[in-house]
């Protein structure tokens, strides 16, 4: 519960209706309390941090000026949403955010009537708000609709599609541009230069006015306004609210505002673990390298060997482990902003002219560039390597960031090869294999640390399309893809089963599978991917095509969107930890699952 002595105004705010009862003069004091409460709350549990601190005054002003939830406020990039959650009835639950059964990490319609549109990815707010505005207009409903876009979201192509439509639609819509000069990393590109001119107050005597970009699209432009000056914000919102048609209010904010360490290190404080607000974040105990770090080191090593390598990211330098590469090879590093579709086709264009592009991208973000992956890369059989981070079960970021579908949506695409590593050294070898393949290649790997396996400094490839038998057993063969190899080995030792590190989802090691089918009585496939259309389905299709009648138990992620929880909790919930795998096998094959008699042998990894 909130401390009413330390936060007397905020303790009285159970909903925006309570906020609107306050006089204007008390709002700056409320902002100070809200910012302090946000700092101590997020510091106690971790979560997205800097973006929320930057929109404290803006959030207060919007809920004060508009009659929410009757009026619709649509937020972009949901990590801006923590102050909004606190003011809309979720104040005392904010410390449960991103935990199992707690508040969702982003905005979610099912969680609150104030969350008018679910969001986890960027650049969606204007499209959604325009749809709402036109639907309301069609039924004669006079309520207001506001889209709040920012924290880099205006760099995404979808935002421009929506601006183009909205500007010519005549819809009654306000777009608030939260301009903090950042996304997760620094903003990049021509638009940022235009906004910088507006922030600097350049009048445009020597050229077109910067605001002409929006006015020519059909928006009435207002601003820029200091996003931390509540009286100025309230005046600007009152004036724009009185107008009709498409309007854009340019609000300038500072990411991390009010917490000096976050203002000075905006990238580091975008998202945080638990920390002491008095000391700031401190470096934790070093563990095994994360898969992202393994990729980043491989990228630099391969770039040193092959001058054709170029690396592309859609605004995820830090998350994808590319900081070192961006420093050591700046002329070969391309941050294209939050523009996944462009990233993929940009890579295709580079490949056409002899470059060897590596696209570093999260599994769920590649979904946004799927058409480009098919039409612009795979159809033309271009030499593009996709390093797919955050694959499979991701954890606290919830369903918007769960990489549950990539094996399914990748393996159906002609010309693609698809790999999933069992450990960090195998990830390095797969990256080398995919890079040297000469066509479209995808290596998908999980979030977080590896298994502690020693990493070979040599850039060795894997035998193409070949699986690895980790353990020779009897009757049942466990066919594991990626991170579920380790629990499969544990269960196989107990049940005297064979365990195979499949390595390649496409192409499958058909010869080995046919051989195992002759010497075993049942197969069990394991993957941290949706069962529908996944790696287990590929095995089933192969058996059917070869006319092999073999019982196949497919274990993977359920046909549901995974809620936010720890990665370990979600794997256990899906039955992909050792206990769940064991239970499923014993339930399906009780006669075959004979416990180890000591006659098994373990193969040496190749």
């Amino acid at each position: 519960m909130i401390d009413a002595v330390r936060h007397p105004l905020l303790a009285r705010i159970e909903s925006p209706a309570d906020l609107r009862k306050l006089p204007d003069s008390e709002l700056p004091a409320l902002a100070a309390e809200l910012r302090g409460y946000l700092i101590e709350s997020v510091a106690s549990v971790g979560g997205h941090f800097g973006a929320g601190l930057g929109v404290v005054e803006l959030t207060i002003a919007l809920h004060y000026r508009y009659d929410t939830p009757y009026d619709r406020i649509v937020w972009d990039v949901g990590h801006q949403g923590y102050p909004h959650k606190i003011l809309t009835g979720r104040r005392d639950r904010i410390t449960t955010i991103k935990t199992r059964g707690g508040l969702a990490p982003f905005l979610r319609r099912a969680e609150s009537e104030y969350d008018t549109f679910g969001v986890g990815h960027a650049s969606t707010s204007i499209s959604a708000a325009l749809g709402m505005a036109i639907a309301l207009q069609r039924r004669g409903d006079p309520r207001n609709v506001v889209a709040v876009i920012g924290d880099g979201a205006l760099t995404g192509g979808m935002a421009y599609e929506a601006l183009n439509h909205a500007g010519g639609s005549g819809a009654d819509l306000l777009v608030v541009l939260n301009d903090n000069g950042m996304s997760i990393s620094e903003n990049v590109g021509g638009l940022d230069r235009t906004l910088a001119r507006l922030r600097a107050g350049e009048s445009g005597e020597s050229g077109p006015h910067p605001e002409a970009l929006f006015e020519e699209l059909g928006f009435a432009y207002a601003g820029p306004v200091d996003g931390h000056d509540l009286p100025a914000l309230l005046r600007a919102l009152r004036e724009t609210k009185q107008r009709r048609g498409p309007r854009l209010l340019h609000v300038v904010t500072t990411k991390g505002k009010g917490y000096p360490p976050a203002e000075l290190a905006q990238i580091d404080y975008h998202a945080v673990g638990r920390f002491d607000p008095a000391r700031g974040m401190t470096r934790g105990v070093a563990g095994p390298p994360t898969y992202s770090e393994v990729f980043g080191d491989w990228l630099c090593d391969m770039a040193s060997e092959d001058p054709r390598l170029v690396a592309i990211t859609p605004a995820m330098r830090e998350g994808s482990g590319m900081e070192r590469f961006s420093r050591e090879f700046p002329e070969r590093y391309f941050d294209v902003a939050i523009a996944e579709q462009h990233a993929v086709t940009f890579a295709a264009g580079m490949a056409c002219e002899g470059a060897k592009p590596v696209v570093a991208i999260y599994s769920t973000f590649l979904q946004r560039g799927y058409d480009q992956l098919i039409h612009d890369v795979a159809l033309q059989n271009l030499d593009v390597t996709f390093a797919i981070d955050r694959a499979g079960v991701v954890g606290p970021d919830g369903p918007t960031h769960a990489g549950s579908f990539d094996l399914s949506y990748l393996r159906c695409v002609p010309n693609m090869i698809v790999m999933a590593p069992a450990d960090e050294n195998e990830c390095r070898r797969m990256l080398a294999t995919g890079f040297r393949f000469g066509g479209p290649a995808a290596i998908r790997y999980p979030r977080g640390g590896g298994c502690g396996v020693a990493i070979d400094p040599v850039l060795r490839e894997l035998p193409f399309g070949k699986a690895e038998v980790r353990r020779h057993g009897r009757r049942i063969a466990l066919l594991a893809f990626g991170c579920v190899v380790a629990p499969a080995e544990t269960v196989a030792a107990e049940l005297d089963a064979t365990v195979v590190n499949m390595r390649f989802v496409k192409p499958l090691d058909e010869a080995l599978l046919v051989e195992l089918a002759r010497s075993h009585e049942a197969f069990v496939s394991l993957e941290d991917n949706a069962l529908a259309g996944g790696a287990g389905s590929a095995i089933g299709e192969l058996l059917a095509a070869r006319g092999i009648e073999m019982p196949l138990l497919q274990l993977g992620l359920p046909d549901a969107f995974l809620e936010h929880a720890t990665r370990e909790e979600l794997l256990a919930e899906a039955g992909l930890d050792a206990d769940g795998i064991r239970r499923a096998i014993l339930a399906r094959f009780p006669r075959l699952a004979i416990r180890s008699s000591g006659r098994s042998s373990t193969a040496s990894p190749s």
Side-chain angles (χ1 to χ4, degrees):
M1 297 292 290
I2 191 169
D3 185 340
V5 175
R6 296 175 56 225
H7 307 290
L9 290 173
L10 187 59
R12 292 159 49 189
I13 306 299
E14 301 293 340
S15 73
D18 297 323
L19 167 66
R20 291 188 284 270
K21 295 174 184 176
L22 297 178
D24 293 12
S25 59
E26 291 190 349
L27 296 184
L30 174 64
E33 290 185 21
L34 176 54
R35 181 168 279 111
Y37 184 69
L38 183 64
I39 292 170
E40 66 184 53
S41 298
V42 178
S44 70
V45 294
H48 288 98
F49 191 61
L53 290 175
V55 295
V56 166
E57 288 83 5
L58 178 58
T59 306
I60 290 172
L62 285 167
H63 282 294
Y64 193 80
R65 246 337 149 219
Y66 286 90
D67 184 16
T68 55
Y70 174 77
D71 290 332
R72 306 302 199 196
I73 299 177
V74 182
W75 293 87
D76 220 304
V77 285
H79 51 248
Q80 297 184 98
Y82 286 30
H84 164 82
K85 286 178 182 267
I86 292 171
L87 292 177
T88 54
R90 291 164 279 183
R91 180 195 61 214
D92 296 335
R93 296 187 65 212
I94 196 67
T95 54
T96 71
I97 203 161
K98 301 181 76 168
T99 63
R100 189 171 190 173
L103 292 181
F106 304 109
L107 304 187
R108 188 172 187 179
R109 283 171 54 84
E111 185 175 283
S112 171
E113 62 180 333
Y114 293 91
D115 294 0
T116 58
F117 196 78
V119 61
H121 291 183
S123 312
T124 61
S125 62
I126 304 176
S127 295
L130 177 61
M132 294 177 186
I134 291 178
L136 292 168
Q137 179 180 307
R138 284 174 56 83
R139 71 171 190 243
D141 193 320
R143 72 186 74 196
N144 297 284
V145 181
V146 180
V148 186
I149 192 166
D151 206 50
L154 197 60
T155 62
M158 186 174 174
Y160 295 95
E161 296 174 28
L163 285 170
N164 178 62
H165 182 192
S169 70
D172 191 14
L173 171 69
L174 172 63
V175 175
V176 175
L177 170 57
N178 167 30
D179 176 14
N180 60 15
M182 296 289 294
S183 54
I184 295 175
S185 305
E186 304 89 351
N187 275 348
V188 297
L191 175 67
D192 186 61
R193 291 194 296 271
T194 297
L195 295 179
R197 291 178 60 200
L198 285 168
R199 290 194 297 268
E202 295 184 14
S203 61
E205 288 86 351
S206 60
H209 291 268
E211 63 268 25
L213 169 68
F214 303 109
E215 292 176 343
E216 290 299 318
L217 284 171
F219 282 80
Y221 173 89
V225 178
D226 182 350
H228 304 296
D229 183 340
L230 265 166
L233 274 176
L234 291 171
R235 284 195 301 273
L237 286 172
R238 181 180 64 245
E239 292 168 2
T240 55
K241 188 178 179 182
Q242 291 170 349
R243 304 181 70 173
R244 289 292 174 264
R247 295 147 284 153
L248 187 140
L249 175 61
H250 183 185
V251 177
V252 179
T253 63
T254 299
K255 194 165 185 173
K257 179 70 174 179
Y259 186 66
E263 291 188 41
L264 293 172
Q266 294 178 330
I267 295 172
D268 293 341
Y269 280 88
H270 171 77
V272 298
R274 296 180 182 179
F275 69 97
D276 180 354
R279 298 173 58 203
M281 291 193 298
T282 57
R283 189 175 298 276
V285 178
T290 65
Y291 281 92
S292 303
E293 290 168 340
V294 171
F295 164 71
D297 289 341
W298 170 85
L299 192 65
C300 292
D301 293 345
M302 186 60 79
S304 297
E305 177 184 284
D306 192 332
R308 297 173 298 168
L309 183 150
V310 292
I312 301 164
T313 177
M316 297 306 298
R317 178 182 64 198
E318 286 73 27
S320 295
M322 302 175 74
E323 303 99 316
R324 179 185 157 203
F325 183 88
S326 69
R327 293 191 303 269
E328 295 184 8
F329 302 93
E331 74 287 354
R332 295 158 69 181
Y333 167 75
F334 299 91
D335 181 346
V336 301
I338 303 176
E340 295 88 354
Q341 293 171 300
H342 167 60
V344 176
T345 304
F346 175 61
M350 297 189 88
C352 286
E353 298 301 332
K356 286 182 69 67
V358 177
V359 178
I361 192 166
Y362 287 9
S363 174
T364 55
F365 297 167
L366 184 56
Q367 292 167 188
R368 308 185 90 191
Y370 189 54
D371 180 73
Q372 289 70 30
L373 182 146
I374 293 175
H375 284 265
D376 299 337
V377 175
L379 182 62
Q380 303 184 92
N381 201 23
L382 292 173
D383 188 6
V384 178
T385 302
F386 294 91
I388 304 173
D389 206 331
R390 275 43 170 198
V393 171
V394 172
D397 281 341
T400 60
H401 285 60
S404 307
F405 311 109
D406 52 64
L407 296 185
S408 301
Y409 72 65
L410 288 169
R411 78 171 190 86
C412 65
V413 179
N415 294 330
M416 291 287 302
I417 65 167
V418 184
M419 294 170 275
D423 57 55
E424 55 267 54
N425 188 54
E426 191 165 81
C427 183
R428 181 178 171 88
R429 294 185 68 184
M430 285 182 178
L431 288 162
T433 304
F435 182 77
R436 293 169 176 159
F437 169 62
I443 304 92
R444 57 97 77 171
Y445 44 89
R447 180 180 188 174
C451 308
V453 174
I455 295 178
D456 184 353
V458 179
L459 294 167
R460 303 182 193 275
E461 299 174 42
L462 290 170
F464 187 80
K466 297 299 182 183
E468 171 199 28
V469 179
R470 288 278 183 104
R471 183 185 191 279
H472 291 283
R474 300 186 300 151
R475 296 190 172 184
I476 299 176
L478 277 57
L479 312 174
F481 296 84
C483 73
V484 290
V485 169
E489 288 184 293
T490 299
V491 175
E494 297 172 5
L495 303 182
D496 193 13
T498 294
V499 61
V500 182
N501 172 18
M502 291 298 297
R503 288 178 168 168
F504 287 80
V505 178
K506 185 178 183 181
L508 287 173
D509 190 340
E510 295 192 15
L512 177 62
L513 290 172
V514 171
E515 177 187 335
L516 291 172
R518 296 193 187 106
S519 57
H520 291 73
E521 299 177 47
F523 281 169
V524 179
S525 67
L526 303 101
E527 61 189 299
D528 61 335
N529 184 83
L531 282 172
S537 294
I539 293 171
E541 292 161 12
L542 170 63
L543 295 176
R546 292 294 190 98
I548 299 172
E549 295 185 4
M550 167 71 75
L552 171 62
L553 171 60
Q554 297 181 41
L555 301 181
L557 301 180
D559 185 21
F561 290 106
L562 304 180
E563 296 299 329
H564 51 281
T566 67
R567 195 164 179 274
E568 293 72 23
E569 287 171 336
L570 290 173
L571 285 170
E573 188 176 302
L576 291 175
D577 61 349
D579 288 341
I581 294 168
R582 183 189 307 106
R583 284 194 304 270
I585 293 173
L586 292 174
R588 177 71 178 273
F589 306 118
R591 182 181 63 83
L592 299 179
I594 300 175
R595 299 198 174 268
S596 175
S597 60
R599 293 191 294 271
S600 62
S601 63
T602 303
S604 299
S606 60

